[in-house]
Amino acid sequence: MFGFGVLLIIFLAVTTQGKYIVPGGRWRDTDGNLVNAHAGGIIFDDKSEKFWWFGEYKIEGQEEGGGVSVYSSPDLATWESHGIALKPIEGHPYISPEHIIQRPKVVYSEKAKKYHMWWHADNSTYGWLLQGFATSENVAGPYTFVDATAPLGNWSQDFGMFTDYKDGRSYALYSNGDSVEGRDVYLTQFNYNVTALEEVVYRFPKFDLEAPSVVQTDKSYWALMSHKTGYRPNNVVAFRADSLGGPWSQPFIVASLNTRTFNSQSGFSLRINGTKKTTYLYIGDQWDMNSLWESRYIWLPIDIDEGRKTLDLAWHDVYDLNVKTGEWKPIQGRTYSAKNAKTNGDAYKQEANFATDGVILTGIYGNDSTATFDGIEGSGKPQWVSFYYQNIDDMGFGDQPGGTPDRVGGSWQLRRISSVVVNGKTENVETLYQRDTHKGIILSTPLQLTLEKGKRNTITVGGLYNGFDYKGADIDRIVVYPPES
Ligand code: GLA
């Protein structure tokens, strides 16, 4: 018995993610499954004293209509699955598996003493443009469908929700479709019960944006939205105002130029009112168009300067957030540069003035043309390793006229896949997904690896088949982070 208990503890320690937040990593719940809650929303529930995350549940072959999943967490880093909060019902007029159930959000209605869930309710061709409503006595659900309606008679596509912490009033945010009469984003106040919309507070006119969210500081409001490129990432923008009714500022880009918001789309933001500090988190989605169910999450602290009226997202591979105090800090890692890596086969180091040490590893292909980093210090425990890469497949939006930053009519490929092998153990090949980047733009993607204790580890990067080719992306450096303590 004792032995089993110890084994169980070791097993849990290995399979749970622990306490760091790692944007773009494969996040696993406490059962070891991938966290499956896309384009979702998070609330802090006073009763359970936990965070609850609701999102779109997607599995292979059922990318839409999987219902709304729900997870709870004490620290925003450890997630426990509570299954499906809103289950699709076969033959139902609005929530059957054939329907669109997107961007779910939940708030607690003080008046109704119930949890209210709202989402973008649609048919499979996005022809209805409605808002769905369901309720539950318990935060985890099950939620019971109430209705799907057109907000104040209008169309409603991407759905967001925001509750003002000063007066407790909730608001719906929704883009209202792609037609010429649409293309606005609405900010509309709910009634006190949060059972219906009452009054349009502001209309962001004709910017043709979507995936809206509002961040509230003590002084101001910031509305974040993405452009409309479907599941392809673009430059998320923000607007600023002193009050929800405006006047709102011009939109401005929130992340480093040409990173396409670190390959993510906005959708939600979270205010963490800590004992020492208030921290705002950007809760974004890193969609994987080739396998939507494998899409990941990009969560980053938001940096707001009220004086300069700016809002910025800066990249951090790994950070530690204390939800009690509100403080967070980036974790420092050890860098291994392309300059010191060894190449095999057709892989080689090419001059690149934008690279960390002036060269980038390119020509990585299949099992033979690989690059190896050696002398890597490991801990013997799972630890995050970030691979900084450039993937310059042309970002042509082949099927979408007009949306072609790099190549008119080009064939857009979402990602390359590299193989990662530790210490030559080819029986354990890890798959590293590397999203498309602009030329000269270096982004990173993390993998959790177990290196041996000591300084003699090697990491070899090759190319895996991604549906088109066996090319791996070009590598600039890797950064090895300490394991969680
Ligand atoms: C955008 C929207 C998502 C979803 C996809 C479908 O990314 O924000 O909610 O509707 O388009 O293409």
Side-chain angles (χ1 to χ4, degrees):
M1 276 311 278
F2 176 68
F4 177 71
V6 170
L7 266 184
L8 192 67
I9 290 167
I10 293 171
F11 178 71
L12 285 176
V14 171
T15 55
T16 55
Q17 187 212 334
K19 294 192 58 196
Y20 294 156
I21 297 182
V22 185
R26 287 190 177 97
W27 294 5
R28 301 204 177 266
D29 65 19
T30 51
D31 296 326
N33 299 315
L34 288 179
V35 175
N36 193 335
H38 307 282
I42 299 168
I43 55 166
F44 184 78
D45 175 51
D46 293 331
K47 288 191 199 162
S48 55
E49 295 191 348
K50 281 184 181 161
F51 294 93
W52 292 80
W53 177 5
F54 300 84
E56 300 168 17
Y57 181 76
K58 298 185 184 298
I59 53 172
E60 188 166 4
Q62 175 87 57
E63 286 81 16
E64 302 292 350
V68 177
S69 52
V70 55
Y71 294 81
S72 69
S73 175
D75 58 7
L76 292 174
T78 317
W79 292 98
E80 182 186 343
S81 168
H82 297 267
I84 305 294
L86 180 73
K87 279 205 178 73
I89 301 169
E90 212 54 73
H92 190 280
Y94 296 105
I95 54 163
S96 85
E98 287 75 54
H99 293 133
I100 295 273
I101 303 174
Q102 287 183 348
R103 301 196 170 276
K105 307 285 175 304
V106 169
V107 296
Y108 182 66
S109 166
E110 293 286 348
K111 292 254 174 182
K113 301 270 176 278
K114 279 186 183 173
Y115 295 88
H116 288 185
M117 178 187 286
W118 289 84
W119 67 93
H120 168 202
D122 224 318
N123 66 358
S124 59
T125 55
Y126 295 83
W128 293 343
L129 302 172
L130 301 176
Q131 292 176 359
F133 174 40
T135 66
S136 173
E137 310 260 322
N138 305 306
V139 61
Y143 284 76
T144 308
F145 179 85
V146 178
D147 210 354
T149 52
L152 305 176
N154 213 324
W155 300 303
S156 178
Q157 197 159 314
D158 276 11
F159 182 78
M161 214 163 160
F162 160 70
T163 302
D164 192 311
Y165 79 86
K166 290 185 178 164
D167 62 7
R169 295 300 297 265
S170 289
Y171 298 81
L173 290 141
Y174 43 99
S175 51
N176 76 332
D178 300 330
S179 66
V180 180
E181 301 78 22
R183 301 186 185 173
D184 302 323
V185 170
Y186 280 79
L187 173 59
T188 305
Q189 192 173 45
F190 277 98
N191 60 12
Y192 278 104
N193 295 358
V194 200
T195 53
L197 287 176
E198 213 167 60
E199 192 195 351
V200 173
V201 174
Y202 190 75
R203 186 169 62 93
F204 294 89
K206 305 295 168 216
F207 288 106
D208 215 1
L209 300 169
E210 66 181 2
S213 161
V214 165
V215 179
Q216 179 183 20
T217 69
D218 296 344
K219 295 199 182 114
S220 53
Y221 298 89
W222 307 73
L224 275 68
M225 301 170 203
S226 78
H227 294 81
K228 284 185 178 165
T229 51
Y231 289 121
R232 302 159 172 102
N234 59 57
N235 292 313
V236 167
V237 295
F239 302 76
R240 197 207 69 85
D242 293 327
S243 74
L244 286 173
W248 286 85
S249 74
Q250 278 280 318
F252 55 89
I253 291 172
V254 301
S256 315
L257 288 175
N258 294 321
T259 65
R260 304 182 182 110
T261 326
F262 310 114
N263 278 338
S264 74
Q265 185 181 24
S266 51
F268 198 68
S269 49
L270 193 61
R271 180 176 197 274
I272 298 155
N273 192 10
T275 51
K276 295 201 179 144
K277 192 178 171 206
T278 306
T279 287
Y280 309 93
L281 282 190
Y282 165 85
I283 306 288
D285 291 282
Q286 185 166 70
W287 296 114
D288 196 321
M289 247 175 71
N290 296 343
S291 46
L292 265 190
W293 64 95
E294 288 186 283
S295 299
R296 303 196 192 164
Y297 314 101
I298 301 290
W299 293 8
L300 290 168
I302 296 173
D303 186 15
I304 290 173
D305 185 325
E306 303 276 7
R308 290 170 50 230
K309 301 186 171 164
T310 58
L311 178 152
D312 291 292
L313 293 184
W315 180 261
H316 300 286
D317 285 332
V318 180
Y319 59 96
D320 191 10
L321 169 70
N322 182 328
V323 296
K324 298 275 181 301
T325 64
E327 294 165 307
W328 65 274
K329 62 167 197 298
I331 301 299
Q332 297 305 317
R334 192 181 292 258
T335 299
Y336 300 86
S337 164
K339 190 180 69 179
N340 303 318
K342 299 192 168 61
T343 56
N344 313 292
D346 294 336
Y348 65 104
K349 293 173 196 172
Q350 187 174 21
E351 176 182 321
N353 62 10
F354 51 85
T356 301
D357 280 319
V359 289
I360 201 159
L361 295 159
T362 192
I364 293 172
Y365 193 91
N367 314 325
D368 302 325
S369 297
T370 61
T372 298
F373 293 84
D374 58 16
I376 297 172
E377 184 166 3
S379 66
K381 297 182 202 153
Q383 55 195 120
W384 288 98
V385 179
S386 282
F387 293 77
Y388 280 78
Y389 71 93
Q390 169 197 242
N391 166 4
I392 55 171
D393 290 334
D394 280 336
M395 183 83 174
F397 294 172
D399 55 337
Q400 294 196 351
T404 57
D406 294 346
R407 171 72 167 87
V408 174
S411 61
W412 193 85
Q413 289 180 29
L414 182 88
R415 49 153 157 80
R416 297 187 186 183
I417 304 179
S418 280
S419 60
V420 172
V421 169
V422 174
N423 296 330
K425 292 189 184 135
T426 45
E427 62 277 17
N428 293 326
V429 176
E430 298 280 345
T431 53
L432 179 73
Y433 287 27
Q434 297 151 317
R435 264 75 180 178
D436 192 282
T437 63
H438 275 284
K439 292 171 183 66
I441 296 298
I442 292 177
L443 294 175
S444 74
T445 189
L447 269 188
Q448 204 172 28
L449 299 176
T450 303
L451 304 169
E452 278 167 27
K453 199 168 167 53
K455 295 189 176 169
R456 301 186 51 179
N457 291 279
T458 64
I459 293 182
T460 300
V461 185
L464 285 174
Y465 189 62
N466 71 349
F468 306 95
D469 209 345
Y470 287 88
K471 276 185 202 162
D474 302 337
I475 302 283
D476 174 73
R477 66 192 187 279
I478 64 177
V479 183
V480 179
Y481 291 92
E484 279 138 338
S485 45

